[in-house]
Amino acid sequence: MDVKTAFLNENLTEDVHMMQPEGFVDPKNSGKVCKLQKSIYGLKQASRSWNLRFDEVIKSFDFTKSEGQPCVYMKFIGSTVVFLVLYVDDILP
């Protein structure tokens, strides 16, 4: 699966402020900053925030995280073992 917007719109756990984006500056409040409500691409907290959310959701499907490899999740269904391997390539084309 290739997800191009994985880091977008994730919840933030702390307050993050940024300058008003070029082209979207409010002329009446040009000296003010924006408080982010969701994560945006390029934000230092974005990958951590996304990973915490992914971990929470995948565990809700009864997967367990491998102790030796934190990017590997396992689920046991009878005699069948399902492995889910998480790999994130954060390099833009």
Side-chain angles (χ1 to χ4, degrees):
M1 174 170 58
D2 186 17
V3 181
K4 300 211 182 284
T5 59
F7 291 166
L8 297 178
N9 301 315
E10 189 53 55
N11 296 324
L12 293 171
T13 57
E14 67 262 0
D15 289 343
V16 177
H17 297 84
M18 65 176 270
M19 294 173 46
Q20 294 181 47
E22 190 175 316
F24 294 94
V25 177
D26 180 0
K28 296 177 184 175
N29 298 300
S30 60
K32 293 188 176 183
V33 295
C34 300
K35 179 180 176 184
L36 297 180
Q37 296 178 348
K38 298 281 184 176
S39 181
I40 59 171
Y41 191 85
L43 193 63
K44 285 194 284 185
Q45 296 89 336
S47 59
R48 177 75 175 141
S49 177
W50 181 85
N51 189 273
L52 289 172
R53 177 75 173 132
F54 177 86
D55 186 67
E56 176 186 314
V57 170
I58 206 66
K59 286 179 178 177
S60 74
F61 290 103
D62 297 324
F63 279 84
T64 56
K65 185 186 286 191
S66 168
E67 291 181 22
Q69 295 291 329
C71 295
V72 176
Y73 293 84
M74 300 168 289
K75 182 175 183 175
F76 299 92
I77 307 167
S79 62
T80 304
V81 181
V82 177
F83 288 95
L84 187 146
V85 180
L86 176 64
Y87 172 75
V88 177
D89 179 5
D90 192 24
I91 299 173
L92 291 175

